Amino acid sequence: MGRTVAALTSDELEPAGRRQLLGRLVGEVRGRGVGRLFRPRTALRWMADAVADVAPHIPVRDLETLRRHFPDLDDEGLAERLIRNASRATAGVGAAGGGVASVEWVAAPTLLSAPILLAAETVAVVAIEIKLIGELHEVYRQPIPGDGLPERGLKLVESWSGQRGVNPMIPGVGVAAVLGTAARKELQKTLLSRFGRNLTTMGPLLTGAAVASYLNRRATRAVGEKVREDLRRTRPALDG
């Protein structure tokens, strides 16, 4: 599932490719147990665990790589481009969800498909926003601290939950501690708002796709802007 979600975070995916990957993710979510997703609290716990599982696999580009991809942009222009691309990517997930739903609902009743599709969409959107947060940290010279991908991934999960920059003064701790009390509650609270928003977009066939696309785009831009403002305040002074 980590590889599928990582592929979905690319801002260069064509609509058909995004729809195919989201369909694959729906199948992987279904394989992890349909029944659990009918109970809201259990669904939130499942999504929190899924986000923590995939976070270390999300391909966050470092500043050097970003400069190669966008050579003509200064820091502010680069940050704006990353926010724009991520917003388009999550909008694409919302639109792709309508395409997946049109196939799913032909084969099965709506109530069987909706929780799985909502969970898959939510995890995919969160992963794209986590990647955005990590790359904004690179742009503003505040790379994510940590020993290894798991620790850095979980710091990004914390940052996404609070929609703020990573606090480097918080010492690294193990997975169990990070997802223990306060951090887990904050993650589940933020996931609940996303999951609930996605629920309002579900409709027969493609009727919810345009709404989901718009809401995803707007929410991702809001996340990017909040984190960018936080990082601007803490950006280290550049030499010269």
Side-chain angles (χ1 to χ4, degrees), residues 125-141:
V125 166
V126 171
I128 291 168
E129 292 177 353
I130 285 175
K131 178 180 180 179
L132 169 63
I133 290 171
E135 293 181 350
L136 287 175
H137 277 77
E138 291 287 333
V139 171
Y140 289 103
R141 314 304 197 278

Side-chain angles (χ1 to χ4, degrees), residues 137-223:
H137 277 77
E138 291 287 333
V139 171
Y140 289 103
R141 314 304 197 278
Q142 299 169 67
I144 304 301
D147 296 325
L149 292 176
E151 184 177 337
R152 289 195 291 273
L154 289 172
K155 285 184 180 294
L156 283 170
V157 171
E158 287 184 311
S159 179
W160 180 86
S161 300
Q163 297 185 10
R164 57 180 179 267
V166 169
N167 184 351
M169 300 305 293
I170 298 177
V173 291
V175 173
V178 169
L179 296 180
T181 53
R184 176 177 283 277
K185 288 180 180 179
E186 188 172 37
L187 174 59
Q188 291 184 1
K189 179 181 177 181
T190 310
L191 281 169
L192 177 61
S193 68
R194 287 306 182 86
F195 192 71
R197 185 204 68 209
N198 287 350
L199 186 61
T200 66
T201 69
M202 298 302 290
L205 300 182
L206 301 178
T207 58
V211 177
S213 178
Y214 167 74
L215 291 178
N216 282 353
R217 183 192 300 268
R218 185 179 67 178
T220 298
R221 173 160 285 280
V223 170

Side-chain angles (χ1 to χ4, degrees), residues 5 9 48 69 82 94 107 116 120 127 153 171 177-178 187 194 204 213 226 236 240:
V5 173
T9 65
H69 288 180
L82 293 176
I116 301 169
V178 169
L187 174 59
R194 287 306 182 86
S213 178
K226 286 180 182 179

Side-chain angles (χ1 to χ4, degrees), residues 1-239:
M1 191 171 74
R3 288 192 296 271
T4 302
V5 173
L8 272 165
T9 65
S10 172
D11 52 18
E12 298 178 353
L13 274 176
E14 296 294 330
R18 198 175 302 280
R19 186 165 55 249
Q20 182 181 20
L21 284 169
L22 186 61
R24 182 193 304 171
L25 182 59
V26 167
E28 291 165 351
V29 172
R30 179 185 287 111
R32 293 193 174 201
V34 176
R36 293 178 295 173
L37 299 183
F38 283 97
R39 298 188 290 275
R41 289 185 179 179
T42 305
L44 285 176
R45 288 196 297 270
W46 184 91
M47 285 189 292
D49 290 341
V51 168
D53 286 346
V54 303
H57 302 283
I58 296 172
V60 175
R61 293 169 290 188
D62 60 20
L63 183 58
E64 182 180 352
T65 302
L66 290 170
R67 288 289 181 214
R68 287 201 305 269
H69 288 180
F70 307 101
D72 300 326
L73 298 176
D74 60 13
D75 287 353
E76 292 302 320
L78 179 53
E80 177 59 32
R81 180 67 60 85
L82 293 176
I83 292 171
R84 187 197 72 178
N85 288 354
S87 299
R88 288 179 174 177
T90 59
V93 169
V100 173
S102 68
V103 175
E104 290 288 310
W105 284 331
V106 168
T110 300
L111 288 178
L112 283 179
S113 299
I116 301 169
L117 180 55
L118 285 174
E121 279 194 42
T122 301
V123 171
V125 166
V126 171
I128 291 168
E129 292 177 353
I130 285 175
K131 178 180 180 179
L132 169 63
I133 290 171
E135 293 181 350
L136 287 175
H137 277 77
E138 291 287 333
V139 171
Y140 289 103
R141 314 304 197 278
Q142 299 169 67
I144 304 301
D147 296 325
L149 292 176
E151 184 177 337
R152 289 195 291 273
L154 289 172
K155 285 184 180 294
L156 283 170
V157 171
E158 287 184 311
S159 179
W160 180 86
S161 300
Q163 297 185 10
R164 57 180 179 267
V166 169
N167 184 351
M169 300 305 293
I170 298 177
V173 291
V175 173
V178 169
L179 296 180
T181 53
R184 176 177 283 277
K185 288 180 180 179
E186 188 172 37
L187 174 59
Q188 291 184 1
K189 179 181 177 181
T190 310
L191 281 169
L192 177 61
S193 68
R194 287 306 182 86
F195 192 71
R197 185 204 68 209
N198 287 350
L199 186 61
T200 66
T201 69
M202 298 302 290
L205 300 182
L206 301 178
T207 58
V211 177
S213 178
Y214 167 74
L215 291 178
N216 282 353
R217 183 192 300 268
R218 185 179 67 178
T220 298
R221 173 160 285 280
V223 170
E225 294 291 355
K226 286 180 182 179
V227 173
R228 175 161 65 170
E229 286 302 315
D230 196 24
L231 293 171
R232 279 172 172 162
R233 290 192 295 268
T234 56
R235 173 170 46 184
L238 298 178
D239 295 336

